[in-house]
Amino acid sequence: MTTNENTRTTEVTLTAEVARTAAAGAAPARLDYARTAPKVFRAMIALDAAARDGLDPALVELVQMRTSQLNGCAYCLDMHAKDARKAGETDERIYLLPVWPEAPAGVYTERERAALALAEEITRIGGGVSDAVYARAAAHFAEAELAQLISVCFTINAWNRINVATRKTPGTA
């Protein structure tokens, strides 16, 4: 198995573990963030809305789901999968998201693949965003769209960290 295959297997396993743990109610929520930090919460809501502005809602949901998978955020993954379905996303595309690079041709567009690659490198910031991944995204998104996409990526990463830290329970949106 290659390193990439090992990473994907680990991510799929982690996503399943997070979902099982959340469904079992193993860890109760720690605090109600919206109630205890209302100014920050309202600012995050406004930032999230501003980040999405002008981008395809289905693309935003894919990016948010993938980022939430990488960060192990069951709450956000649950919420964005439901939102994606409401927006017309198919089960096939949702199920294949953890292994999107290996998905058959035609499942995800080149534009979506560029966005997902960028989201993954922003989320795994340790090595930075490579020139190749950035150039790929820049080839599919106008400069203003690219700025919005980067904003969606850092916003969902922040939401993931808030919800993981506070143990926000899936299904309580």
Side-chain angles (χ1 to χ4, degrees):
M1 200 178 277
T2 67
T3 302
N4 195 24
E5 290 170 327
N6 281 334
T7 300
R8 299 273 179 237
T9 301
T10 301
E11 290 167 2
V12 171
T13 303
L14 174 61
T15 300
E17 285 295 316
V18 169
R20 275 195 300 278
T21 301
R30 291 181 170 145
L31 61 86
D32 180 345
Y33 191 81
R35 183 181 54 77
T36 55
K39 286 182 182 179
V40 177
F41 185 78
R42 285 191 303 272
M44 284 294 299
I45 294 289
L47 179 62
D48 188 74
R52 294 166 173 261
D53 190 43
L55 290 176
D56 173 28
L59 177 70
V60 170
E61 296 304 335
L62 286 174
V63 166
Q64 291 179 322
M65 284 187 296
R66 183 63 186 134
T67 301
S68 298
Q69 289 168 344
L70 294 172
N71 287 327
C73 185
Y75 176 82
C76 289
L77 181 55
D78 176 65
M79 180 175 69
H80 293 294
K82 289 173 182 171
D83 290 346
R85 282 191 180 97
K86 287 177 191 171
E89 195 57 76
T90 66
D91 286 343
E92 177 186 35
R93 286 166 44 94
I94 292 171
Y95 298 151
L96 289 175
L97 194 56
V99 292
W100 66 267
E102 290 82 27
V107 174
Y108 301 103
T109 67
E110 286 305 312
R111 181 176 164 93
E112 290 167 338
R113 289 175 180 274
L116 291 167
L118 182 65
E120 287 191 6
E121 288 204 1
I122 289 171
T123 300
R124 296 177 176 136
I125 199 70
V129 174
S130 70
D131 290 340
V133 166
Y134 189 87
R136 181 180 182 190
H140 290 279
F141 294 89
E143 193 172 74
E145 289 177 309
L146 188 54
Q148 293 302 119
L149 180 58
I150 291 168
S151 301
V152 165
C153 293
F154 70 69
T155 303
I156 190 59
N157 272 286
W159 278 123
N160 289 164
R161 282 150 179 77
I162 290 167
N163 292 325
V164 168
T166 62
R167 291 188 180 149
K168 184 83 171 158
T169 306
T172 60

